[in-house]
Amino acid sequence: MKGVVIDGALWSIALIGVAVAAAGVRAVSKSSLVVPQPLPAAWAEPRRFAADSIDGSVAYTVANDPFRLSRQPASVAYAPAREGMVPPPIIRAPRPNLVLRGIVGGPPWRAIIEGIPGHDGGTLLRQGDTVAALLVRAIGRDTVIIKGADTTWRLTVTRSR
């Protein structure tokens, strides 16, 4: 019984839909026809780009690496033959063992420092000097501050007894 009622409801909805569609078609056919507007004339000659502007755009795009967030080239060049290989480990140079042997003068102070890579014995340095990628930040009466790439040393004079 329930199925007969559902079937009847579906048929009546379908008939109503057909009637509405027919009324819409009849209303559209009675309306006046729209005359198409002519298309605007095309350019007589296509625009040409100057070769320098294209070369300049290419150079700008290549220089700014548009597909990288950092806008800088990769640290490792792409090589399809190396795909899937594990990169070699990064070996960092050992940190030098810096020793403050003494401080000379009065303001401005100078420091005698041993252990600087590439220098034998003590090296006399002033504030602001850079030696072997080490920057002398400050020199005080008994303290020297040296900044390296990833380390800052605070050296003090040790008194011998």
Side-chain angles (χ1 to χ4, degrees), residues 3-83:
V4 174
V5 173
I6 293 175
D7 284 343
L10 290 176
W11 278 108
S12 50
I13 290 172
L15 288 175
I16 291 171
V18 169
V20 168
V25 168
R26 192 174 296 154
V28 169
S29 65
K30 287 183 181 177
S31 67
S32 62
L33 293 175
V34 177
V35 178
Q37 298 292 326
L39 294 174
W43 288 92
E45 183 178 333
R47 293 182 184 176
R48 307 250 183 232
F49 291 103
D52 330 354
S53 68
I54 293 174
D55 292 341
S57 298
V58 168
Y60 177 80
T61 303
V62 169
N64 289 312
D65 287 314
F67 299 107
R68 294 194 172 275
L69 292 176
S70 65
R71 301 286 186 253
Q72 305 218 345
S75 59
V76 178
Y78 175 70
R82 296 173 129 190
E83 186 129 352

Side-chain angles (χ1 to χ4, degrees), residues 1 3 8 15 27 32-33 36 43 52-53 58-59 70 77 79 83-84 91 93 97 103 116 119 141 144 151 157:
M1 179 74 176
L15 288 175
S32 62
L33 293 175
W43 288 92
D52 330 354
S53 68
V58 168
S70 65
E83 186 129 352
I91 300 173
N97 186 18
I103 295 180
I116 295 177
H119 294 268
R141 281 182 191 262
V144 175
T151 306
V157 176

